[in-house]
Amino acid sequence: MGQTEWETRREMSKGYANVVWVNSREANLKRKLREHLQSLGFTKSEDGALQAPGNCKDTIRSLHRAQREERLTANQKFVSLKGAKLMRFFASGRDIEPEKISPVLERVSSGTLHGDLFRLATLSWSVPVSNGFGRRLRYLVWDENNGKLMGLIAIGDPVFNLAVRDNFIGWDSQERSARLVNVMDAYVLGALPPYNALLGGKLIASLLRSRDLYDDFANTYGNTTGVISQEQKKARLLAITTTSSMGRSSVYNRLNLDGIQYLKSIGYTGGWGHFHIPDHLFVELRDYLRDIDHNYADQHGFGQGPNWRLRTTRAALSALGFKQDMMRHGIQREVFICQLATNATKILQMGKGQPDLTSLLPAKDIAAQAMERWMIPRSKRMPDYRDWKSENLIRLFGDQAQILRTQIERAEISQRACQL
């Protein structure tokens, strides 16, 4: 239906004409939602609940495919303009000398070269990453030995409602509201190829529990004043949660160094969320809420938190007559907690106490331990990482891959011409 026809309908005389228009739009939206979910392989149980086609890693990647393609399309101009120049920071297997890997953390900001590199690297991941919410700290993890990118870390404000976290700490709703300011969530956490083949993901995850992150948080957010409460927060980074994107995590489990547990599994999410509702349908759902004068349509200012999209989607689906179960996609993710202070749980429970940071090491020392514990032994047992070529990463950029290949080829031709 063209825009002119929509406008004509909306200008029709009041009364039943408007009812017909709204009902027609509702029916169209319902059809699109059903067709999209069917295309992903979702079915309905006998009681009408949504059922995922499975929970293996390939299925989870498949379920995220539409969301990932939308993310790549939205970044087409960015990849076209900057992608080729940034590819030189990604390693091939031949660039790595396992015994000489020297991981270092670098905090990055938007609008910089390394901020662009962080953005490009996240676009290569099969499960799209969030942009984070509220307070945010982002890092590149470099191999100082060769100047190549090993992995990424980003922590931001956590979701307000996370039952397994609150149960583990022992919070009621009032205690959570008062002390959640001392918890962050790692919404980006992982190693890039070929370092991931050397268990680099374990090293990257271990860096969450580092003095570097604790001090950066204290310097950046330790004395901030709440925009809503106008109270001095005096926040301390006591714990960081993270969630495995692929169900149970083999990378985050058994993450121990020198007798210290760096990540602890605390349970699984309930399988609720909105990732199976892609951006283009979410935009239509918001437009529909505006048409029926629902206040959630544009209620996404500061203070609404990372749950705003979930609440907005739920409100639109409810207004369309769908059951709440449509938000339950059934893909459970393992939740982990990193306690930076030895007594973090006690302080979060009681709301007072001095953090015990005696076992909190600098990132450089943690990386050295992780190298000896995981990466060097892995390189000897499984030398296949050497076969990885940095240009292999290009295929992970979907429809943007050909753009990158063409640009890199032109740059190589130009470089050879200059050498003649």
Side-chain angles (χ1 to χ4, degrees):
M1 183 178 294
Q3 186 174 354
T4 301
E5 187 173 349
W6 279 115
E7 291 173 349
T8 301
R9 286 195 177 192
R10 299 191 71 170
E11 294 300 323
M12 291 174 69
S13 59
K14 293 183 178 181
Y16 289 108
N18 283 334
V19 174
V20 171
W21 178 82
V22 172
N23 287 344
S24 175
R25 185 171 194 183
E26 287 180 352
N28 190 40
L29 254 179
K30 287 180 178 180
R31 177 184 57 78
K32 287 183 178 180
L33 285 163
R34 291 191 181 103
E35 289 178 351
H36 172 70
L37 293 173
Q38 288 172 359
S39 72
L40 294 179
F42 281 99
T43 56
K44 282 188 177 182
S45 64
E46 292 182 1
D47 61 358
L50 205 61
Q51 286 186 321
N55 57 7
C56 68
K57 291 184 178 181
D58 286 341
T59 298
I60 294 173
R61 291 189 185 97
S62 177
L63 291 175
H64 282 88
R65 187 171 295 128
Q67 183 190 25
R68 184 170 186 271
E69 288 174 354
E70 284 188 333
R71 190 71 53 87
L72 287 169
T73 299
N75 283 274
Q76 182 174 353
K77 183 177 180 181
F78 166 75
V79 174
S80 177
L81 289 174
K82 301 186 177 182
K85 294 180 181 178
L86 296 172
M87 289 302 297
R88 71 180 187 274
F89 294 114
F90 297 100
S92 295
R94 63 178 179 271
D95 297 322
I96 298 176
E97 299 176 82
E99 304 282 347
K100 296 182 180 180
I101 294 174
S102 179
V104 292
L105 270 175
E106 180 192 18
R107 189 174 165 190
V108 298
S109 303
S110 299
T112 64
L113 174 67
H114 289 169
D116 289 340
L117 179 59
F118 186 100
R119 179 179 173 183
L120 182 68
T122 61
L123 291 175
S124 71
W125 290 5
S126 58
V127 175
V129 302
S130 164
N131 292 324
F133 301 91
R135 302 169 299 171
R136 280 171 285 187
L137 297 173
R138 299 186 302 157
Y139 298 88
L140 300 175
V141 183
W142 293 97
D143 182 352
E144 198 172 33
N145 181 58
N146 57 23
K148 302 297 184 179
L149 185 61
M150 291 184 65
L152 308 172
I153 296 174
I155 62 174
D157 274 333
V159 296
F160 189 74
N161 295 306
L162 186 59
V164 292
R165 176 201 62 206
D166 300 344
N167 291 336
F168 173 79
I169 295 172
W171 273 340
D172 60 27
S173 59
Q174 185 176 359
E175 292 165 339
R176 176 185 59 195
S177 297
R179 298 166 201 156
L180 189 59
V181 68
N182 300 300
V183 178
M184 295 283 273
D185 182 71
Y187 62 94
V188 179
L189 185 66
L192 292 157
Y195 293 96
N196 59 349
L198 296 174
L199 299 181
K202 287 183 175 291
L203 184 150
I204 303 298
S206 299
L207 296 180
L208 288 179
R209 195 183 187 275
S210 67
R211 188 79 201 202
D212 304 58
L213 264 66
Y214 184 90
D215 289 344
D216 278 352
F217 180 89
N219 294 332
T220 307
Y221 298 114
N223 294 309
T224 55
T225 299
V227 174
I228 298 175
S229 66
Q230 293 300 306
E231 295 178 354
Q232 192 78 15
K233 293 294 185 179
K234 296 183 180 179
R236 299 167 290 185
L237 185 57
L238 299 177
I240 303 173
T241 57
T242 194
T243 307
S244 170
S245 62
M246 295 288 180
R248 187 180 185 279
S249 172
S250 58
V251 174
Y252 300 157
N253 273 292
R254 300 183 300 280
L255 203 68
N256 303 290
L257 289 170
D258 197 23
I260 297 172
Q261 189 171 31
Y262 277 70
L263 282 180
K264 179 180 178 63
S265 176
I266 58 175
Y268 288 80
T269 61
W272 292 82
H274 54 71
F275 80 83
H276 54 309
I277 308 296
D279 289 344
H280 71 276
L281 286 179
F282 179 69
V283 169
E284 291 198 48
L285 291 173
R286 283 187 67 191
D287 286 342
Y288 170 68
L289 288 179
R290 290 192 189 100
D291 284 331
I292 63 174
D293 295 324
H294 197 293
N295 62 349
Y296 268 10
D298 296 293
Q299 195 181 59
H300 56 97
F302 186 88
Q304 298 303 325
N307 290 329
W308 166 74
R309 179 162 175 158
L310 179 64
R311 295 195 303 269
T312 301
T313 305
R314 180 185 289 123
L317 293 175
S318 178
L320 287 168
F322 287 107
K323 293 182 177 181
Q324 293 290 333
D325 282 351
M326 184 170 277
M327 298 301 295
R328 187 167 191 168
H329 47 65
I331 303 299
Q332 292 185 301
R333 296 180 168 93
E334 193 169 8
V335 182
F336 296 83
I337 191 165
C338 169
Q339 301 175 82
L340 284 83
T342 304
N343 56 345
T345 303
K346 183 177 180 180
I347 297 175
L348 291 170
Q349 287 173 343
M350 306 300 294
K352 58 183 179 181
Q354 187 66 27
D356 180 358
L357 306 175
T358 53
S359 64
L360 194 62
L361 301 177
K364 198 76 173 175
D365 293 349
I366 296 169
Q369 290 186 16
M371 286 289 303
E372 292 296 324
R373 173 72 175 83
W374 294 304
M375 296 190 71
I376 292 176
R378 179 74 164 211
S379 70
K380 295 175 180 177
R381 294 194 309 269
M382 302 181 68
D384 293 350
Y385 73 91
R386 296 172 185 164
D387 298 330
W388 175 265
K389 297 180 181 179
S390 60
E391 51 264 35
N392 292 344
L393 193 73
I394 295 175
R395 71 172 185 268
L396 301 180
F397 292 99
D399 292 340
Q400 313 308 311
Q402 187 57 47
I403 297 175
L404 281 174
R405 288 193 184 94
T406 301
Q407 291 178 335
I408 292 173
E409 289 170 1
R410 288 175 179 172
E412 290 175 347
I413 292 171
S414 177
Q415 185 177 15
R416 286 196 295 268
C418 292
Q419 293 173 348
L420 293 177

